[in-house]
Amino acid sequence: MSKSKGASRTRFFPSRSMVLLEIDTDIYPDDAVMGAAYVFIDRCYVRLEKAGQDRKKIVVRLKAKNETGRHGLEELAGGFENELLHQAWRIRLEQSRGRLREYILARALLTAQDDDSEEETRGEHIGQEPGDYLEDPLGIAVPWEEKFGKDGKGG
Amino acid sequence: MKLPARSLPATAPYFRFRKLEDDVFLVTNDIGRYAFLAEDELQDLLDGEIVHGHERFAELAEKGFVQGGMSADEQVRIIARRNSHLFTGTNLHIMIVTLRCDHRCVYCHASRAPMGTRGVDMKPETADKVLERAFETPARQVTIEFQGGEPLVNLRVIKRVVENAWKLAEEKDKELVLTLVSNLSMLDRETADYLADNGVFVCTSLDGPKELHDMNRPLPGGSSHDSVLAGMEVMNDAYRKRDLDPRMYKVNALLTVTRASLDRPEEIVDEYVRLGLNTLHARPLNPFGMASRAAGISYDADEYLAFYKRVLARVMEHALNGVDIQERTAALHLTKILTDREPNYMELRSPCGAGLGQLAYDFDGSVYTCDEGRMLARTGDDLFKVGHVQDDEYRDLAGSPVVKALAAASCVEALPGCADCAYALFCGVCPVYNYAQQGELVARQPENQRCKIQMGVLDELFSRLQNADQDTLSIFERWTRPLPGQGEGGST
């Protein structure tokens, strides 16, 4: 009736068209489990419960909307596990690359919304002479203490 | 191969790699440079042992894979050039001037309406509004692409737009590109003269030899192949009579690949060469619109790739024999691989062109992020509609939450399956495709057919680059030169 996968367990209940997946939240963050569960609501009735002694596991109950045998349940469980990995990886990438994406999108959206001509925009951002940004006209690179004094209230 | 025990050494800036074959690894970096390394050389790179005196040091330093070659300033300039599309604004405006079409193509992406249908032509007042919106863009260059249905069915509106567009371009000091995507069956000499006089580029469809083309593109009461050949001759003749540059002003064609095409790549390429076409743009079927419903014409990614490799091989064979012909998919990828120029092809940029690079205006004035989004709407799902030309100004359209969602979902630098892919800088994703195929905007790339095709095409190109002689390199470099009106900042 059940198979063990290290810390995770998957149990099939063909007579009830249902499968239970036990997810280790040390591997998959809660948000990934939630995201994957949401993707499956068109195919299943989905329920999530905390489990385990230290409540570090989440049990996902997938109950197929249409009567489904063992094979169908295995496909559901496998599909869910793949989606879980997809969601977890997206979250991790968001943490490591989210800022980069924000910079790129901000630039693209600003340009598309810009009232200035493209030429002016390009002149400001790309066409500048190499090293112009090193001149630091806004004083961004000037240390706080130097700019405002040691107490931070101006010097 | 062993990963280094500690974090990468300071001499090894971020790079991505992919195993191409036994003992051949491709490494790429964020400034779009690439190198082929043997396994022990890759190990040296990982271990920080590629320093002065190492036989690969000079090349890898010059390409920014290790410190000591290219300056940080130069790398910043390259990144800016490679991302020029972020500073361009929405330049491609696709006008669906009618849904009516005389052809009954088996794969019709554009979801046509029969010729007798009423109420599916764009009205002149709607066209005026489209033009008004298009010229509100901050982009310096505005490209208007007429599509359908068969756009020549509504020639009256095309002429109105052409005339007004030239006036607006002068008033607003914009560079204007006009493109017509047509099956040419309704092109007579008078229309060809008009298009040539007004600098309209023309693109058509040619699926191969007569029998194959006519099977894919049935024209009731006639042969589509005969008609398109006649149309090309009339149009090219009109360009020639005006002494227009034949490299720019020459009808080019799109090749839509069906199952019936798969066994005949050489014949298809030879047909293009026989007709004197300079570009062949092979395109797989997509899951939008009526194409998704057509039974018996589709295939999987592996079958398409086998076909594509034979097409490319045949095109190269002709090119090496002095024929002036290029395969457009390869040319677009090679532009991103061999130069720092962003060709701004909407499906191959990051983020994709949806809303930020292009807008598609349906015959009734509804506006979509892109033509793919519009095609999906023809099947009843208008998720990618961003507004209407009567109600929404350009700023509202380009600033729509739908556009923002698609931009976030197509930024390859932060997408699962793309961020670490060796081909990230030479590729692009289509969230509308992902939605149509997989039900969500962010693809599960290992199961995504489009990703599989792009990876296969890039594998083939890098394999050819690895083994290229000087003649092959010269041809590839020639393909990277921009051809105005032939996809630069366009969709065709």
Side-chain angles (χ1 to χ4, degrees):
Chain A
M1 189 61 81
S2 68
K3 64 174 181 178
S4 273
K5 282 187 175 176
S8 302
R9 283 199 311 158
T10 306
R11 285 173 287 161
F12 298 96
F13 301 92
S15 62
R16 296 160 65 190
S17 296
M18 190 174 84
V19 57
L20 298 181
L21 297 105
E22 200 170 83
I23 311 296
D24 186 337
T25 53
D26 278 344
I27 300 172
Y28 300 105
D30 288 1
D31 285 350
V33 181
M34 198 76 79
Y38 188 75
V39 169
F40 271 66
I41 61 175
D42 60 334
R43 281 155 277 180
C44 310
Y45 299 108
V46 184
R47 180 177 170 141
L48 307 178
E49 279 179 12
K50 284 279 190 186
Q53 282 187 330
D54 49 4
R55 299 180 69 75
K56 279 199 164 180
K57 290 188 171 30
I58 295 176
V59 173
V60 181
R61 188 186 75 175
L62 303 176
K63 185 168 172 28
K65 289 186 175 176
N66 299 311
E67 203 170 302
T68 307
R70 169 86 187 197
H71 179 69
L73 290 175
E74 282 179 356
E75 284 203 339
L76 266 184
F80 186 88
E81 285 167 349
N82 282 354
E83 182 63 30
L84 193 56
L85 178 62
H86 178 63
Q87 296 280 341
W89 187 230
R90 276 179 74 173
I91 290 168
R92 190 174 289 191
L93 271 178
E94 183 60 31
Q95 288 161 355
S96 61
R97 305 283 180 84
R99 289 290 291 278
L100 173 63
R101 191 189 62 193
E102 282 168 20
Y103 285 135
I104 293 170
L105 296 192
R107 183 60 262 165
L109 290 164
L110 274 171
T111 301
Q113 294 280 293
D114 209 333
D115 283 331
D116 296 335
S117 73
E118 178 194 342
E119 202 164 351
E120 288 168 36
T121 309
R122 291 170 72 91
E124 188 183 338
H125 297 283
I126 309 186
Q128 62 186 3
E129 285 302 306
D132 277 358
Y133 64 94
L134 295 175
E135 291 171 7
D136 193 20
L138 299 178
I140 292 165
V142 179
W144 184 267
E145 291 84 353
E146 201 176 299
K147 206 189 291 185
F148 299 109
K150 287 204 171 183
D151 59 1
K153 291 176 184 169
Chain B
M1 182 172 27
K2 295 176 298 183
L3 288 173
R6 53 189 171 75
S7 56
L8 287 177
T11 47
Y14 181 75
F15 65 89
R16 305 170 173 93
F17 70 92
R18 177 174 175 81
K19 187 174 184 178
L20 289 185
E21 55 189 80
D22 279 348
D23 207 33
V24 178
F25 288 83
L26 171 73
V27 292
T28 65
N29 60 17
D30 278 337
I31 54 170
R33 300 296 184 266
Y34 70 90
F36 301 104
L37 301 180
E39 185 166 346
D40 59 337
E41 292 170 332
L42 179 60
Q43 189 70 59
D44 287 349
L45 183 58
L46 284 165
D47 292 341
E49 288 176 5
I50 297 189
V51 292
H52 280 289
H54 192 287
E55 63 177 14
R56 300 300 299 269
F57 174 77
E59 179 198 352
L60 294 179
E62 188 196 331
K63 291 176 174 177
F65 286 100
V66 294
Q67 289 179 0
M70 189 182 288
S71 70
D73 281 353
E74 180 58 15
Q75 297 198 26
V76 168
R77 276 199 298 272
I78 290 171
I79 288 171
R81 276 200 295 272
R82 296 188 67 91
N83 285 282
S84 60
H85 59 288
L86 300 179
F87 303 84
T88 301
T90 314
N91 66 309
L92 174 61
H93 300 266
I94 298 172
M95 289 182 72
I96 311 302
V97 293
T98 180
L99 291 183
R100 292 193 290 152
C101 183
D102 56 348
H103 277 57
R104 292 180 184 168
C105 303
V106 293
Y107 45 70
C108 183
H109 290 184
S111 303
R112 62 177 285 275
M115 288 295 284
T117 313
R118 292 186 173 192
V120 292
D121 290 354
M122 184 177 276
K123 293 176 180 163
E125 55 271 27
T126 306
D128 292 347
K129 274 287 176 195
V130 170
L131 213 49
E132 193 181 321
R133 298 293 169 247
F135 274 88
E136 285 168 359
T137 175
R140 190 172 51 84
Q141 185 198 73
V142 174
T143 297
I144 306 282
E145 186 172 294
F146 299 107
Q147 283 203 28
E150 167 46 48
L152 288 180
V153 170
N154 198 359
L155 183 60
R156 188 172 60 113
V157 157
I158 290 178
K159 286 185 172 178
R160 183 184 179 102
V161 171
V162 167
E163 278 141 38
N164 290 337
W166 281 117
K167 282 182 206 156
L168 275 168
E170 194 173 341
E171 269 173 35
K172 301 202 172 224
D173 193 25
K174 304 255 188 206
E175 190 183 320
L176 178 65
V177 176
L178 296 166
T179 306
L180 171 76
V181 182
S182 165
N183 64 37
L184 304 183
S185 65
M186 295 177 189
L187 185 80
D188 55 24
R189 197 158 291 279
E190 187 187 343
T191 305
D193 285 341
Y194 176 83
L195 296 172
D197 282 339
N198 286 279
V200 180
F201 296 103
V202 176
C203 178
T204 191
S205 290
L206 183 72
D207 286 359
K210 183 178 169 78
E211 174 218 341
L212 176 60
H213 179 96
D214 285 345
M215 183 164 52
N216 281 349
R217 304 178 57 81
L219 175 62
S223 159
S224 171
H225 191 266
D226 290 349
S227 137
V228 76
L229 260 56
M232 283 196 288
E233 184 50 40
V234 168
M235 193 66 237
N236 287 332
D237 191 45
Y239 286 145
R240 271 193 300 269
K241 281 183 182 159
R242 284 156 183 81
D243 282 333
L244 295 167
D245 181 352
R247 282 289 296 165
M248 284 168 59
Y249 287 93
K250 188 170 189 178
V251 177
N252 71 64
L254 298 170
L255 163 65
T256 303
V257 179
T258 64
R259 173 157 286 283
S261 319
L262 296 181
D263 293 333
R264 309 176 66 175
E266 292 81 13
E267 287 174 71
I268 293 169
V269 174
D270 291 353
E271 179 74 348
Y272 271 67
V273 171
R274 181 179 78 83
L275 297 173
L277 286 155
N278 300 124
T279 60
L280 179 154
H281 193 167
R283 303 211 302 184
L285 290 172
N286 69 37
F288 316 118
M290 286 162 66
S292 62
R293 298 185 206 150
I297 63 167
S298 63
Y299 38 78
D300 62 28
D302 289 331
E303 289 173 301
Y304 178 78
L305 283 169
F307 168 84
Y308 179 80
K309 286 176 192 175
R310 284 171 63 185
V311 164
L312 187 61
R314 188 65 153 198
V315 169
M316 285 303 297
E317 203 180 314
H318 283 296
L320 286 165
N321 284 327
V323 177
D324 182 10
I325 185 164
Q326 63 171 243
E327 199 289 305
R328 192 74 183 132
T329 306
L332 289 163
H333 283 301
L334 287 166
T335 303
K336 292 168 83 87
I337 294 167
L338 298 175
T339 79
D340 291 328
R341 195 165 46 79
E342 169 52 61
N344 202 16
Y345 189 71
M346 298 299 155
E347 298 171 23
L348 291 180
R349 41 171 270 183
S350 171
C352 76
L356 301 176
Q358 66 174 317
L359 286 167
Y361 306 85
D362 211 351
F363 73 94
D364 63 357
S366 299
V367 188
Y368 296 88
T369 53
C370 48
D371 203 36
E372 289 78 5
R374 179 194 67 85
M375 286 189 268
L376 205 64
R378 298 301 306 159
T379 63
D381 188 344
D382 67 354
L383 186 67
F384 302 103
K385 182 172 172 178
V386 290
H388 194 281
V389 285
Q390 295 289 351
D391 308 325
D392 302 292
E393 294 184 358
Y394 163 79
R395 285 175 66 90
D396 306 319
L397 300 168
S400 142
V402 181
V403 169
K404 291 173 184 163
L406 291 193
S410 61
C411 198
V412 297
E413 290 82 353
L415 287 178
C418 297
D420 298 323
C421 175
Y423 297 146
L425 263 72
F426 315 125
C427 196
V429 299
C430 175
V432 182
Y433 179 100
N434 300 338
Y435 176 76
Q437 202 214 340
Q438 299 183 310
E440 63 173 309
L441 299 180
V442 176
R444 290 188 298 276
Q445 296 295 12
E447 299 172 331
N448 189 284
Q449 293 292 300
R450 185 177 182 277
C451 172
K452 201 167 185 180
I453 288 174
Q454 305 272 30
M455 297 285 283
V457 168
L458 284 158
D459 279 345
E460 176 67 11
L461 291 174
F462 275 105
S463 171
R464 285 180 175 273
L465 281 168
Q466 188 205 345
N467 301 306
D469 57 17
Q470 195 49 51
D471 289 345
T472 300
L473 278 179
S474 299
I475 287 166
F476 280 175
E477 275 160 14
R478 197 161 62 233
W479 289 6
T480 67
R481 291 175 200 156
L483 299 174
Q486 297 191 348
E488 192 80 357
S491 72
T492 52

